[in-house]
Amino acid sequence: MGERQGGGWRHLLRSLHRDVGYLCVGLTVAYALTGVLLNHIHDWNSNYRVESVARAVAPFPDPPSFGDGDVPGLLGMIGEKETPTGIFRPDPGTVQIFFQGGRRITADLRTGRLEGEVARRRPVLGALNALHLNRAGRAWTIFSDLYAAALAFLAVTGALVLQGREGLAGRGWRLAILGVAVPVLLILVVLSR
Amino acid sequence: MSRTFSILLTLFLVLPAGVVAGTDYGAGVTLKQATSVSDIFAAPAAYAGKTVKIKGLVVDVCTARGCWLDLASDKPYEKIRVKVEDGVIVFPASARGRQAAVQGVVETMRMCPDEARRFREAEAKAKGVRFDPASITGTESSLAIRATGAVIE
């Protein structure tokens, strides 16, 4: 009788685990992908693709005397027709000219080397990263709380659906402890320093 | 079923729009009187720990996390780093070249050589330029604004 009852709730857990798993599969893959991307954001920028192009023009004769009035002439040398949104002098030999959308031209006035640079947002990865970092407002916070609860449910039901040697009471508990031990060890060894 | 699908579809379309809309960041800017960046550089001790509003051209933005921007001073060859808490305020790369007002606390960022190397290395990677760790030989300190809000025009 007890075994039949146990089989009954295990069957229910298995069904719920399967259906909640289907609901969560898309977001879980997205979170896993963006988790890796955000961990390595300084190695590969998954939010923006930075494009740059270099050009060479004649060096400016007296770089420190370069003024805002010289900018149209400099841009004319490379056929740039867009009106700048701003100009900045980081040092006496360099001028930076800004355009709409964050585009920037950096000119080394001494050598005549110009470098144009623009950061283009990666539409899909950038949006997924924003969701991962909870930048979509209150509604997304509520939704992701529900998703987190569903993940916890999947973890618990996943540990309980199997019986016998393959179940939690068999070899499962050893693997579960191993999984918990890694972060606990890191907390003790690395974060307690 | 079709109603649920419609709601989910609406959320899917509206939420990303909310992410990109608007020019106010964080708590915004409430101070009326602006302090010039050159005044802060001229007397850093007088402004340390004080909440100020500064204005200027955005000359650089962190493209990796959007967690800092550089604001040009009113004098040439000067700029100040505006740092925000990671994830709380996220500046878009398109802010570069636009005028911004920022409110926050003036502070001196002091970094030991290891911190400075990590900081400069990350900064160089974000900019796509080479970094030589040997170029950092001691502690570094620089003025910065720990911002609570900003308005980008």
Side-chain angles (χ1 to χ4, degrees):
Chain A
M1 185 69 178
E3 194 178 327
R4 279 184 62 195
Q5 279 177 343
W9 69 258
R10 278 208 163 84
H11 180 74
L12 176 65
L13 281 187
R14 205 160 31 239
S15 300
L16 287 171
H17 185 86
R18 178 196 62 211
D19 290 344
V20 175
Y22 286 143
L23 281 171
C24 290
V25 65
L27 201 51
T28 303
V29 171
Y31 263 99
L33 172 68
T34 50
V36 173
L37 292 175
L38 289 168
N39 273 349
H40 300 276
I41 192 90
H42 291 297
D43 300 312
W44 187 74
N45 191 334
S46 51
N47 286 325
Y48 291 94
R49 188 175 66 246
V50 180
E51 297 172 356
S52 62
V53 59
R55 296 278 300 273
V57 297
F60 195 77
D62 181 21
S65 71
F66 186 93
D68 290 0
D70 296 310
V71 169
L74 181 67
L75 295 178
M77 287 188 219
I78 56 168
E80 177 63 59
K81 293 186 174 67
E82 196 178 324
T83 306
T85 58
I87 296 158
F88 176 59
R89 299 296 303 273
D91 59 68
T94 311
V95 63
Q96 292 185 320
I97 306 160
F98 299 90
F99 302 89
Q100 282 292 339
R103 190 163 65 90
R104 177 177 68 189
I105 292 176
T106 301
D108 184 332
L109 300 169
R110 293 191 174 95
T111 63
R113 187 178 193 276
L114 272 64
E115 186 172 325
E117 182 194 283
V118 64
R120 297 193 193 283
R121 188 168 169 79
R122 299 181 196 273
V124 176
L125 293 181
L128 290 176
N129 282 346
L131 291 180
H132 191 123
L133 296 171
N134 199 15
R135 290 183 205 151
R138 181 80 183 139
W140 182 254
T141 303
I142 294 168
F143 182 78
S144 53
D145 283 349
L146 291 172
Y147 169 69
L151 279 188
F153 176 80
L154 286 175
V156 173
T157 53
L160 296 177
V161 287
L162 288 179
Q163 298 181 80
R165 287 174 56 198
E166 307 296 324
L168 188 65
R171 68 191 184 102
W173 68 272
R174 294 184 184 89
L175 292 170
I177 287 177
L178 183 66
V180 173
V182 173
V184 167
L185 198 66
L186 279 173
I187 288 168
L188 293 175
V189 174
V190 180
L191 298 180
S192 61
R193 271 190 240 165
Chain B
M1 183 66 182
S2 62
R3 192 179 166 202
T4 308
F5 182 75
S6 302
I7 292 169
L8 288 173
L9 184 66
T10 306
L11 282 172
F12 183 78
L13 294 173
V14 168
L15 286 177
V19 175
V20 294
T23 53
D24 282 16
Y25 295 85
V29 176
T30 54
L31 289 176
K32 288 191 175 137
Q33 186 73 34
T35 303
S36 66
V37 174
S38 62
D39 282 351
I40 296 171
F41 275 115
Y47 288 98
K50 289 190 176 161
T51 300
V52 297
K53 169 189 172 182
I54 57 170
K55 295 167 83 173
L57 179 73
V58 179
V59 295
D60 217 345
V61 179
C62 169
T63 57
R65 291 186 183 276
C67 61
W68 56 260
L69 59 77
D70 286 341
L71 216 58
S73 169
D74 46 302
K75 287 187 177 172
Y77 318 139
E78 275 183 354
K79 63 180 177 181
I80 193 163
R81 173 63 51 96
V82 173
K83 182 77 183 81
V84 293
E85 200 175 331
D86 280 12
V88 176
I89 297 176
V90 180
F91 295 121
S94 59
R96 204 165 60 181
R98 290 158 72 180
Q99 294 290 328
V102 171
Q103 183 168 314
V105 178
V106 179
E107 64 175 29
T108 305
M109 288 170 62
R110 285 194 176 82
M111 294 176 281
C112 70
D114 280 348
E115 284 174 324
R117 264 179 220 112
R118 282 197 297 271
F119 180 76
R120 298 294 172 206
E121 186 177 13
E123 192 178 52
K125 269 186 182 171
K127 289 180 178 177
V129 296
R130 282 184 188 169
F131 169 72
D132 177 14
S135 64
I136 307 290
T137 53
T139 49
E140 279 196 8
S141 63
S142 61
L143 274 177
I145 303 290
R146 181 70 60 178
T148 52
V151 177
I152 297 175
E153 291 167 8

